[in-house]
Amino acid sequence: MPILFAIMSGALFAVWHSFSDALAWRIYTAWYSPRRKEVKDKLKFVFGASSRCEFCEVKVPWYGLIPIAGFFILRRRCAHCSRLLSWRFPLLEACALVYGVAFAQHEPSPLYFTLTLLTYTALWVVIAIDYRMLLIPTEAIFALLVLGLFALLCIRHPHWYRFDNFDFGLDLSVAFLWYFLFHLLRIASGYKMGLADVRLVLALGFLLGHPLTIFLPGVAAAFAIIFYLLRRRSLLIYAPSETEIPFGVFLGAAFLLLNLSR
Ligand SMILES: [Zn+2]
């Protein structure tokens, strides 16, 4: 039974990643990309449209939507305009599959599993758009804050209103400590860091709780350092700016990793 659950969780996360990535790309296209003015009915575009080729806009056939395998069935090309598809699709779907299998090891409750899927989508919107253009949509931060408060007040500490739980106090303290330290860091860096990154730390702090939140900025910084060391070796690795760091991307990745070590 645990093996079956792990396989199902892995498959679900791979499909869910594919959905989240498409959603992030549509939100980017409708509100932030150079062609945003061409998209008239934005909500219909984001939620109603079926998956299309990023270049020629022709509908992707159903078998092209199968996570990982779809990429190889299509032989890496759009069937209509024959442009090459990016390796990021199967690679990230494979990562999501491994993530789902690893996450299943914690035997999460159905409520916690659902919360994690919703968190994944909001976080992927943050990661994908911050990586493209150094910008974090406020709506995604708001969604993560709501999810974080739900995790804190309804899942981890359902009797929080008694205010007699030391762990609840620690969860709040650690989240707010990083929030204030990130404000200071933002000022000290000459506002090189966005306000959205500061808010993101608070939301992720609520979601993770102590003691994992303590490690969040450190792991994110380690990811950022590794990324820029790799980038120095290969300019093929895309970065949105030479001077500013898309810290939301690294905070998001650090959260996903730490969330596994619960
Ligand atoms: Zn195409």
Side-chain angles (χ1 to χ4, degrees), residues 6-259:
I7 293 170
M8 278 167 57
S9 168
L12 183 58
F13 263 88
V15 173
W16 194 258
H17 171 84
S18 176
F19 158 74
S20 305
D21 194 44
L23 191 72
W25 183 76
R26 285 176 203 174
I27 290 173
Y28 165 76
T29 309
W31 277 285
Y32 303 102
S33 76
R35 18 173 314 235
R36 61 185 181 274
K37 289 202 175 120
E38 293 166 30
V39 184
K40 296 283 179 249
D41 193 346
K42 295 187 191 299
L43 284 180
K44 195 179 162 216
F45 177 79
V46 170
F47 294 106
S50 47
S51 290
R52 285 162 197 281
C53 167
E54 287 190 5
F55 303 108
C56 68
E57 306 262 312
V58 162
K59 230 174 121 176
V60 178
W62 66 268
Y63 49 83
L65 298 175
I66 305 168
I68 308 169
F71 180 83
F72 298 99
I73 297 172
L74 290 174
R75 295 191 188 167
R76 229 204 131 183
R77 280 173 194 284
C78 166
H80 184 253
C81 69
S82 74
R83 287 247 213 153
L84 282 178
L85 303 173
S86 165
W87 274 101
R88 89 181 148 92
F89 296 113
L91 286 178
L92 288 171
E93 282 158 9
C95 288
L97 186 131
V98 173
Y99 192 84
V101 172
F103 183 65
Q105 307 308 311
H106 300 287
E107 295 175 15
S109 68
L111 185 63
Y112 182 57
F113 196 92
T114 312
L115 180 91
T116 305
L117 285 176
L118 294 175
T119 304
Y120 188 94
T121 300
L123 208 53
W124 193 255
V125 170
V126 168
I127 291 175
I129 296 179
D130 197 24
Y131 184 59
R132 281 193 179 102
M133 55 185 310
L134 276 172
L135 195 146
I136 299 180
T138 312
E139 292 80 0
I141 300 277
F142 181 72
L144 285 168
L145 272 169
V146 171
L147 290 167
L149 284 173
F150 183 80
L152 197 65
L153 303 178
C154 301
I155 298 184
R156 264 205 312 283
H157 309 292
H159 301 296
W160 61 271
Y161 47 84
R162 292 181 192 156
F163 292 106
D164 59 355
N165 188 331
F166 186 66
D167 281 334
F168 175 52
L170 266 179
D171 277 359
L172 283 179
S173 308
V174 176
F176 276 106
L177 181 69
W178 280 130
Y179 178 63
F180 289 123
L181 284 176
F182 264 61
H183 266 303
L184 289 179
L185 193 66
R186 180 167 180 260
I187 296 166
S189 72
Y191 299 95
K192 280 233 158 53
M193 182 191 280
L195 193 57
D197 291 319
V198 181
R199 290 173 178 154
L200 182 62
V201 162
L202 185 68
L204 296 183
F206 287 159
L207 279 160
L208 271 182
H210 86 96
L212 291 175
T213 302
I214 298 171
F215 303 100
L216 181 69
V219 176
F223 279 158
I225 291 166
I226 293 168
F227 176 81
Y228 281 96
L229 283 178
L230 286 175
R231 190 165 183 270
R232 230 193 242 176
R233 300 204 164 258
S234 164
L235 279 177
L236 289 175
I237 299 176
Y238 168 82
S241 158
E242 292 304 322
T243 48
E244 288 175 66
I245 296 172
F247 209 56
V249 174
F250 303 111
L251 277 174
F255 169 84
L256 290 174
L257 183 73
L258 286 169
N259 196 40

